[in-house]
């Protein structure tokens, strides 16, 4: 397979630098050991064509080959563009990516003088016909996936139709014996039938899914063993089970199908336009078929115009992964109940709202513009980092102590591994002597393989310890820390989902609390930020880990102050100079009543003994406040233990 026309010569003149890509999909029958096998295979191939010194750069991962948003693909491209690699080796092309994008990566490698070798597919980019070979291999890998998918889908659907096999997971109301192989072996939980009948009757009488969920929770009705949320019933869970035709004795298969999103390589589940295939299992009936049909048709009609309005005839959120969000989504935490903030507060897409309030478990229903809040937080974080002084001597002495301690521990580990290798070598020698006298047996062969595996493992750890020396370790200065923070955050786009991972490292805690002006007004939110500078140390983070000297807490307003609060300090300053209210209004270019309002706010602060005009709310607001979530009959205040953040000084 290897072209003899291209001799293997290190570009640095002394050491061959080889990149190895290993990947498994992560199925239940695949093991991490397969990754090691791929790496060993690649090293064996290199040993056949080069006998000099070799340095390996291994990228080993678990993920679907069709996925184009895997971070390791970016790592591979970065490694290729660095012009350090002489060779890039993968067992087969599908280990890199299963699709024509592999051809694109190979082209980048060729452009940067990196030779790509794929033994199982017979590819060597030194061969002039490499591009044709790569495209052919891509076609084979994609075709294999497609044919396997069709074969499995047809086989499982055929078994479902004929024998009731290819079962779904057990749900509430049914008992599945351990030896069950089809729906005919399932049993109905007789105690659940009255619950389902009452359930459907309540929906028929006008209740919605959330009200039925509250009724189930109030009566301590357990959820199914594989329920998505093991804690309690909610409207979505009740809706899914209400729509399941299994309740009327008709299990189904094919409700949804997967569709590939070609930009990311992800496969998303969508409703099957052809509808499911149903089989008749009358022994599993909890709800009479006519009642099931009547209630589901009734709920479909009742909720017809209640969903998200389509844009150009399609759901605007269609195809968007639910677990990916823009910052500060999935980051902000409610200081009252400890739950995260969701996008879409009170029906406004850009606003964020406490999940507990949405579920009637928290009274903090105040919302804010999440996009603008993200910009405000980012600006405040950058300003706080820019205002930092140098490291204190106590912190630096701790850092150097940890460096010395780590170096000493490394030398001890290297010494132990060397002793272990000597012991393994002695055991191998004794075993070989025994084999020469007695002969090879299955037990001897097994033990010899075990010793060889232990030896490889020890050598791998020894190589890692030797490659991670700290002799040249130089901690960055505060100026370098600020420069790195500005480079990472200064040009960031908060609407980019990948930005979330960066902010979760720099800001491990971001908690919001409701506030109100001491003289009344709208409920607003303040963020209490816990900033961690450790990630900015890059590869040296271990040296200052868990040191409180690099943890900074501060408060950021997520709102714009009203005029009387924003100008209060300016008004007081001019008042102290002896100016009248009319003169102050003229100088600040505001009305005289605005000056009077600012002074009234200041007098209210003095009466209450406050230094800040805003007061934190610790209980549901009273009066004409718009926050009335706690007045709903469904409201039950249920904070999460340990998830709130203690008070911080402003």
């Amino acid at each position: 397979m290897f072209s003899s026309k291209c001799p293997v010569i290190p570009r640095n003149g002394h050491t061959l630098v080889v990149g190895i890509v290993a990947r498994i999909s992560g199925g239940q029958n695949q093991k991490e050991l397969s990754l090691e096998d791929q790496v060993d295979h690649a090293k064996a191939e290199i040993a056949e064509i080069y006998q000099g010194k070799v340095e390996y750069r291994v990228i080993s991962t678990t993920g679907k080959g069709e996925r184009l948003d895997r971070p390791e693909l970016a790592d591979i491209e970065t490694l290729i563009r660095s012009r350090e690699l002489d060779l890039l080796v993968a067992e087969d092309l599908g280990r890199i990516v299963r699709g024509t994008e592999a051809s694109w990566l190979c082209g980048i490698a060729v452009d940067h003088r990196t030779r790509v070798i794929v033994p199982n597919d017979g590819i060597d980019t030194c061969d002039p016909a490499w591009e044709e070979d790569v495209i052919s291999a891509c076609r084979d890998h994609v075709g294999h996936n497609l044919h396997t998918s069709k074969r499995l889908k047809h086989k499982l659907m055929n078994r479902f139709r004929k024998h009731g096999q290819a079962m779904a997971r057990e749900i509430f109301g049914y008992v599945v014996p351990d030896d069950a192989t089809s729906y005919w072996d399932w049993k109905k939980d007789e105690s659940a039938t009255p619950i389902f009948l009452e359930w459907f009757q309540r929906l028929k009488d006008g209740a919605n899914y959330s009200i039925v969920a509250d009724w189930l929770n109030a009566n301590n009705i357990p959820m199914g063993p594989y329920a998505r949320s093991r804690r309690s019933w909610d409207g979505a869970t009740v809706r899914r089970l209400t729509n399941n035709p299994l309740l009327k004795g008709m299990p189904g298969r094919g409700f949804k199908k997967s569709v590939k999103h070609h930009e990311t390589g992800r496969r998303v589940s969508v409703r099957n336009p052809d509808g499911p295939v149903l089989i008749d299992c009358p022994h599993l009936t909890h709800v009479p078929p006519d009642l099931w049909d009547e209630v589901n048709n009734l709920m479909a009609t009742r909720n017809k115009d209640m969903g998200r309005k389509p844009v150009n005839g399609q759901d605007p959120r269609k195809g968007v992964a639910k677990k990916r969000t823009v910052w500060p989504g999935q980051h902000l935490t409610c200081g009252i109940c400890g739950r995260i903030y969701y996008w879409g507060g009170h029906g406004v897409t850009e606003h964020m709202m406490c999940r507990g309030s949405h579920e009637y478990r928290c009274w903090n229903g105040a919302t804010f513009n999440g996009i603008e809040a993200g910009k405000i937080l980012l600006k405040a974080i950058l300003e706080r980092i820019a205002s930092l002084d140098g490291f204190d001597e106590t912190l630096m002495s701790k850092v150097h102590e940890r460096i010395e301690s780590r170096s000493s521990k490394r030398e001890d580990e290297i010494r132990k591994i060397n002793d272990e290798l000597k012991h393994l070598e002695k055991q191998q020698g004794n075993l070989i002597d025994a084999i020469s006298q007695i002969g090879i047996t299955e037990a001897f062969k097994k033990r010899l393989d075990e010793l060889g595996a232990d030896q490889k493992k020890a050598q791998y750890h020894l190589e890692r310890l030797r490659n991670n020396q700290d002799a040249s370790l130089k901690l960055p200065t505060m100026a370098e820390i600020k420069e790195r923070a500005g480079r990472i955050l200064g040009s960031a786009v908060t609407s980019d989902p990948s930005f979330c991972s960066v902010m979760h490292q720099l800001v491990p805690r971001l908690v919001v609390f409701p506030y109100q002006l001491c003289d009344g007004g709208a409920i607003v939110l303040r963020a209490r930020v816990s900033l961690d500078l450790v990630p900015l140390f890059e590869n040296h983070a271990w040296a200052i880990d868990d040191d409180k000297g690099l943890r900074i807490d501060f408060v950021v307003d997520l709102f714009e102050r009203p005029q009387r609060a924003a100008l209060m300090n300016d008004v007081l300053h001019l008042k102290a100079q002896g100016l009248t209210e009319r003169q102050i209004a003229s100088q600040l270019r505001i009305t005289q009543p605005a000056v009077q309002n600012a002074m009234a706010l200041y007098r209210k602060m003095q009466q209450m003994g406050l230094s800040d005009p805003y007061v934190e709310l610790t209980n549901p607001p009273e009066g004409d406040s718009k926050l009335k979530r706690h007045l709903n009959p469904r409201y039950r205040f249920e904070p999460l233990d340990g998830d709130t953040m203690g008070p911080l000084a402003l």
Side-chain angles (χ1 to χ4, degrees):
M1 184 208 73
F2 301 111
S3 177
S4 59
K5 297 180 180 179
C6 299
V8 180
I9 302 175
R11 70 169 72 192
N12 59 22
H14 54 82
T15 303
L16 189 71
V17 182
V18 179
I20 298 177
V21 181
R23 181 190 63 80
I24 57 175
S25 298
Q28 60 180 359
N29 295 324
Q30 290 186 309
K31 300 179 180 178
E32 294 292 333
L33 187 61
S34 177
L35 293 173
E36 296 183 18
D37 294 337
Q38 294 176 41
V39 174
D40 291 341
H41 183 191
K43 290 182 177 180
E45 294 287 344
I46 297 302
E48 290 184 9
I49 61 174
Y50 188 77
Q51 285 72 43
K53 185 178 179 181
V54 181
E55 179 182 337
Y56 293 102
R57 309 283 178 84
V58 179
I59 297 179
S60 179
T61 182
T62 299
K64 298 298 182 183
E66 291 182 329
R67 290 278 296 275
L68 304 180
D69 55 354
R70 291 181 286 129
E72 58 271 16
L73 291 180
D75 295 340
I76 294 171
E77 183 180 348
T78 302
L79 197 59
I80 292 172
R81 293 184 184 276
S82 69
R83 294 183 180 271
E84 295 179 358
L85 290 184
D86 296 300
L87 299 175
L88 180 67
V89 185
E91 192 175 61
D92 62 62
L93 205 57
R95 300 299 183 184
I96 301 176
V97 62
R98 197 181 298 276
T100 54
E101 288 76 11
S103 177
W104 178 73
L105 277 174
C106 290
I108 293 178
V110 172
D111 291 343
H112 290 78
R113 294 172 51 208
T114 296
R115 183 177 174 183
V116 180
I117 296 175
V118 187
N120 289 1
D121 290 328
I123 294 172
D124 185 348
T125 55
C126 187
D127 188 335
W130 70 266
E131 197 166 6
E132 181 182 353
D133 296 336
V134 168
I135 294 174
S136 177
C138 290
R139 182 189 65 238
D140 293 340
H141 290 303
V142 172
H144 172 76
N145 257 21
L146 180 61
H147 296 157
T148 302
S149 175
K150 288 182 177 179
R151 176 173 53 83
L152 289 175
K153 288 177 180 177
H154 176 78
K155 178 177 67 175
L156 293 175
M157 183 60 77
N158 184 59
R159 292 179 181 179
F160 174 76
R161 281 194 176 104
K162 293 179 65 176
H163 310 295
Q165 296 178 352
M167 308 175 295
R169 286 185 170 181
E170 178 183 353
I171 62 174
F172 167 73
Y174 296 92
V175 178
V176 181
D178 294 337
D179 58 348
T181 59
S182 70
Y183 281 107
W184 303 111
D185 300 324
W186 282 35
K187 296 180 181 179
K188 180 176 68 173
D189 183 358
E190 298 294 343
S191 63
T193 299
I195 297 173
F196 279 118
L197 292 175
E198 176 69 15
W199 174 333
F200 273 68
Q201 190 61 45
R202 285 174 177 263
L203 292 175
K204 184 178 179 180
D205 293 340
N208 59 32
Y209 296 126
S210 296
I211 292 176
V212 172
D214 292 341
W215 170 72
L216 292 170
N217 291 325
N219 288 276
N220 297 319
I221 305 301
M223 302 184 72
Y226 298 103
R228 295 181 183 180
S229 173
R230 297 292 187 88
R231 297 180 57 187
S232 59
W233 296 89
D234 57 27
T237 307
V238 172
R239 176 178 56 80
R240 284 194 296 268
L241 198 49
T242 301
N243 294 338
N244 195 334
L246 177 61
L247 298 183
K248 63 176 180 178
M250 300 184 71
R253 182 175 178 82
F255 293 92
K256 293 189 174 184
K257 67 175 184 177
S258 64
V259 176
K260 184 176 179 180
H261 185 240
H262 293 277
E263 184 177 354
T264 62
R266 290 174 176 262
R267 289 192 175 271
V268 295
S269 182
V270 299
R271 188 182 298 276
N272 185 357
D274 298 328
V277 174
L278 304 178
I279 59 174
D280 194 17
C281 296
H283 68 290
L284 300 179
T285 302
H286 276 298
V287 179
D290 55 344
L291 177 60
W292 188 94
D293 293 334
E294 180 184 0
V295 169
N296 275 279
N297 291 333
L298 178 64
M299 296 304 294
T301 303
R302 189 186 300 169
N303 298 326
K304 182 178 180 181
D305 298 322
M306 299 298 179
R308 187 184 296 112
K309 300 300 181 289
V311 176
N312 296 326
Q314 289 189 343
D315 185 345
R317 293 287 295 173
K318 183 178 180 180
V320 179
K322 295 181 180 179
K323 291 188 178 181
R324 288 173 61 86
T325 185
V326 298
W327 192 77
Q330 296 185 358
H331 198 170
L332 284 164
T333 304
C334 176
I336 302 301
C337 71
R339 294 177 176 86
I340 65 171
Y341 266 68
Y342 277 178
W343 289 100
H346 297 311
V348 183
T349 305
E350 307 82 47
H351 283 206
M352 302 191 73
M353 179 180 181
C354 170
R355 175 184 177 183
S357 177
H358 178 75
E359 297 174 347
Y360 294 93
R361 297 181 184 181
C362 178
W363 54 264
N364 179 21
T367 64
F368 59 92
N369 189 312
I371 297 175
E372 293 300 321
K375 297 176 182 178
I376 293 172
L377 287 167
L378 185 58
K379 180 181 177 182
I381 291 170
L382 284 170
E383 291 177 349
R384 184 53 63 106
I385 293 175
S387 66
L388 294 175
D389 295 325
F391 301 113
D392 58 74
E393 295 181 0
T394 303
L395 173 62
M396 294 307 298
S397 63
K398 289 182 179 179
V399 170
H400 288 297
E401 287 176 5
R402 293 178 186 177
I403 292 173
E404 294 176 1
S405 174
R406 173 168 168 144
S407 179
S408 177
K409 289 181 179 178
R410 180 184 289 106
E411 293 299 325
D412 291 338
E413 291 181 13
I414 290 175
R415 193 178 303 109
K416 290 179 181 178
I417 293 177
N418 281 325
D419 293 339
E420 182 182 354
L421 286 171
K422 291 179 181 178
H423 181 65
L424 290 172
E425 187 176 352
K426 183 178 179 180
Q427 285 186 305
Q428 284 179 328
N430 294 337
L431 194 60
I432 291 173
D433 291 340
I435 291 174
S436 62
Q437 295 178 9
I438 303 174
I440 187 69
T441 65
E442 191 63 32
F444 280 168
K445 184 179 179 181
K446 182 179 179 181
R447 180 55 181 160
L448 199 59
D449 292 339
E450 290 175 352
L451 290 174
D454 291 342
Q455 191 176 41
K456 284 185 178 180
K457 185 177 180 181
Q459 288 173 342
Y460 171 75
H461 288 299
L462 182 62
E463 185 178 351
R464 287 190 61 186
L465 289 171
R466 287 175 174 171
N467 289 338
N468 294 329
Q469 298 293 333
D470 298 324
S472 61
L473 176 63
K474 180 183 177 182
L475 288 175
T477 64
M478 180 56 75
E480 291 171 336
I481 290 292
K482 293 179 182 179
E483 189 275 333
R484 174 168 167 76
R487 189 172 67 251
I488 294 175
L489 304 179
S491 60
V493 179
T494 57
S495 59
D496 183 1
S498 63
F499 184 62
C500 289
S501 60
V502 176
M503 296 308 298
H504 274 280
Q505 295 179 36
L506 289 176
V507 186
R509 296 286 288 162
L510 187 55
V511 187
V512 292
F513 288 81
Y515 280 78
Q516 188 178 33
L517 279 172
C518 58
D519 63 350
I523 309 298
V524 294
L525 293 168
R526 274 179 169 167
R528 302 184 179 182
V529 183
S530 180
L531 177 64
D532 186 359
L533 298 181
V534 173
L536 296 176
F537 277 71
E538 298 186 283
N539 297 330
H540 310 312
W542 60 269
I544 36 76
D545 190 32
D546 296 329
D547 196 289
K548 295 182 180 178
L550 293 172
R551 307 299 195 277
I552 304 169
D553 294 329
F554 57 99
V555 176
V556 179
D557 290 343
L558 301 181
F559 57 91
E560 185 176 345
R561 296 194 175 202
Q563 188 182 50
R564 65 184 186 281
L567 297 176
M568 184 184 67
N569 290 333
D570 294 336
V571 170
L572 292 175
H573 177 70
L574 296 175
K575 189 74 174 177
Q577 296 178 8
L579 274 67
T580 64
E581 290 182 354
R582 186 182 298 276
Q583 291 171 330
I584 294 173
S586 176
Q587 186 165 338
L588 295 179
R589 297 183 179 181
I590 57 177
T591 64
Q592 188 172 345
V595 176
Q596 295 171 350
N597 291 338
M599 292 301 301
L601 176 61
Y602 176 67
R603 288 191 294 271
K604 184 69 174 179
M605 288 173 55
Q606 287 184 315
Q607 293 175 6
M608 300 177 65
L610 301 175
S611 59
D612 181 78
Y614 282 91
V615 180
E616 181 179 340
L617 299 180
T618 56
N619 294 299
E622 299 178 355
D624 59 352
S625 170
K626 293 183 179 180
L627 302 189
K628 301 183 183 297
R629 211 72 173 174
H630 57 287
L631 301 179
N632 192 289
R634 295 181 57 199
Y635 174 77
R636 297 290 186 276
F637 183 56
E638 296 177 2
L640 300 181
D641 295 335
D643 276 350
T644 57
M645 193 176 184
L648 295 174
L650 296 176

